[in-house]
């Protein structure tokens, strides 16, 4: 089965494509152009966030493009995230605003973007109270039919265990993390696997420019040996460990290539990739209480 159709059945009973399109920094006219190409080559899952500032553009684009590609709302998977400034009792209102911007009737998945709140210090114990309140009000939104599934992003084992101990009867179905050979946490992976929570990798290709893992000697060597692109190797590294991916892409070539991950990386090469120098390109959630 082609990877573009591979899915994972989440704890909520709904399925999510294992490869989706990340839309961070895709704005304005680029949204319509990129989503048009993505739908044409087979993407059916799209990731955004309130703080990306592109929810309205994505909503308008999908409203125009779904009929063009003979698709209905039920054929695609839309996920977005709570702005870290909107933790607490206002979380449901924030979700409703995202839903209005995206013009999609319901959200497939809504994530708490960050375990901390921008309204308090990352070292404040108030963060736990605020994210717990956020979850409580998001559960209400789920019960009201506004969102089908709830998840989190940037939750390390401590944050996840706290949530699981007080989740108001609704466990998170997914945890989105920076995840690539230079940045992964075996303890977190084991916890998610044990609890049935899907890990989803953002920035699965690493950083940009000369710092990108696409230029790493180990990655390029494995890619050459397998006859694949460095990007395909990095995405397959995740998928081979049952970690979903949401790579970005704008060109038709990159969008197509990022779906072509139906191959196996030999265990010896997986070990080489696992031992790449560790580097984090984005937020560090380990500093948040």
């Amino acid at each position: 089965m082609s990877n573009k159709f591979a899915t994972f059945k989440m704890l909520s009973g709904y399925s999510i494509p294992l490869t989706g399109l990340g839309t961070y920094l895709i704005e304005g006219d680029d949204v319509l152009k990129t989503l048009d190409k993505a739908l044409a080559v087979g993407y059916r899952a799209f990731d955004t966030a309130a703080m990306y500032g592109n929810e309205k553009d994505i909503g308008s684009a999908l409203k125009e493009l779904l009929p063009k590609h003979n698709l209905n709302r039920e054929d695609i998977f839309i996920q977005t995230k709570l702005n870290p400034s909107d933790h607490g009792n206002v979380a449901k209102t924030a979700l409703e605003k995202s839903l209005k911007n995206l013009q999609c009737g319901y959200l497939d998945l809504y994530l708490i973007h960050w375990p901390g709140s921008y309204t308090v210090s990352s070292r404040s114990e108030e963060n736990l109270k605020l994210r717990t309140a956020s979850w409580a009000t998001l559960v209400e939104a789920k019960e009201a039919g506004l969102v089908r599934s709830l998840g989190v992003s940037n939750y390390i084992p401590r944050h996840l265990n706290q949530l699981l101990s007080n989740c108001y009867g609704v466990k998170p179905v997914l945890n989105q993390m920076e995840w690539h050979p230079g940045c992964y946490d075996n303890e977190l992976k084991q916890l998610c696997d044990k609890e049935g929570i899907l890990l989803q990798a953002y920035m699965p290709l690493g950083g940009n420019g000369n710092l990108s893992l696409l230029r790493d000697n180990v990655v390029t060597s494995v890619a050459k040996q397998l006859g694949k692109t460095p990007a395909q190797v990095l995405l397959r590294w995740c998928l081979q460990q049952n970690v979903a991916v949401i790579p970005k892409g704008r060109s038709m070539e990159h969008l197509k290539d990022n779906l072509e991950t139906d191959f196996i990386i030999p265990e010896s090469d997986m070990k080489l990739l696992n031992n790449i120098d560790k580097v984090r390109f984005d937020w560090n959630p380990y500093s948040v209480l």
Side-chain angles (χ1 to χ4, degrees):
M1 180 182 291
S2 174
N3 177 66
K4 68 183 70 175
F5 301 118
T7 61
F8 177 88
K9 189 173 183 179
M10 302 180 293
L11 291 171
S12 59
Y14 293 100
S15 294
I16 180 174
L18 285 174
T19 299
L21 180 69
T23 65
Y24 178 53
L25 298 180
I26 302 177
E27 301 172 343
D29 293 341
D30 279 347
V31 171
L32 181 65
K33 296 174 183 177
T34 301
L35 266 58
D36 192 13
K37 288 180 280 191
L39 288 167
V41 300
Y43 286 85
R44 296 295 180 263
F46 303 92
D47 172 84
T48 184
M51 68 183 304
Y52 296 173
N54 61 7
E55 287 179 330
K56 284 186 177 180
D57 290 332
I58 289 174
S60 297
L62 289 174
K63 192 172 184 179
E64 176 179 341
L65 293 171
L66 291 183
K68 174 182 177 181
H69 292 276
N70 297 313
L71 296 170
N72 298 312
R73 166 66 183 93
E74 295 75 18
D75 297 321
I76 61 170
F77 191 100
I78 301 174
Q79 63 183 54
T80 189
K81 312 179 196 72
L82 177 73
N83 192 305
S85 298
D86 291 329
H87 267 297
N89 296 330
V90 298
K92 183 180 177 183
T93 301
L95 183 154
E96 290 171 339
K97 182 178 179 181
S98 288
L99 185 55
K100 181 179 179 181
N101 286 339
L102 288 162
Q103 307 176 59
C104 56
Y106 64 89
L107 296 172
D108 291 283
L109 177 62
Y110 193 70
L111 309 178
I112 291 180
H113 204 158
W114 183 244
S117 170
Y118 284 170
T119 63
V120 299
S121 165
S122 63
R123 306 308 298 167
S124 172
E125 294 182 358
E126 190 70 15
N127 285 300
L128 173 57
K129 296 178 182 178
L130 286 168
R131 63 177 176 263
T132 301
S134 294
W135 193 260
T137 192
L138 293 178
V139 168
E140 294 177 2
K142 180 179 183 297
E143 291 172 347
L146 302 179
V147 57
R148 288 183 167 180
S149 305
L150 295 174
V152 293
S153 181
N154 295 294
Y155 271 43
I156 62 173
R158 180 177 71 253
H159 304 140
L160 203 52
N161 278 318
Q162 289 168 339
L163 175 56
L164 290 169
S165 70
N166 188 20
C167 63
Y168 299 91
V170 178
K171 291 175 65 173
V173 302
L174 180 146
N175 186 13
Q176 186 184 108
M177 297 286 293
E178 178 179 348
W179 201 270
H180 47 71
C183 182
Y184 61 91
D185 182 335
N186 287 325
E187 179 187 357
L188 179 61
K189 180 67 165 63
Q190 291 169 6
L191 175 59
C192 288
D193 287 348
K194 175 186 174 185
E195 298 292 340
I197 298 168
L198 178 65
L199 267 171
Q200 185 183 61
Y202 75 81
M203 295 188 77
L205 307 182
N208 298 309
N210 292 330
L211 294 177
S212 173
L213 290 183
L214 295 171
R215 298 172 180 267
D216 182 88
N217 289 335
V218 173
V219 175
T220 55
S221 176
V222 171
K224 183 177 181 180
Q225 177 182 327
L226 296 177
K228 304 296 179 180
T229 68
Q232 288 168 339
V233 166
L234 289 168
L235 294 174
R236 182 61 202 175
W237 177 87
C238 290
L239 293 165
Q240 195 158 308
Q241 300 175 81
N242 297 315
V243 176
V245 293
I246 46 168
K248 293 195 294 290
R250 285 185 173 87
S251 72
M252 186 68 81
E253 178 185 4
H254 287 160
L255 289 166
K256 286 181 177 179
D257 284 351
N258 288 347
L259 287 177
E260 300 304 323
T261 52
D262 295 325
F263 62 96
I264 299 297
I265 300 175
E267 188 60 33
S268 58
D269 289 331
M270 288 292 285
K271 289 180 179 179
L272 289 175
L273 292 166
N274 289 342
N275 289 323
I276 284 176
D277 289 341
K278 297 301 172 275
V279 56
R280 180 181 296 278
F281 295 103
D282 204 56
W283 291 342
N284 183 4
Y286 291 82
S287 64
V288 179
L289 286 184

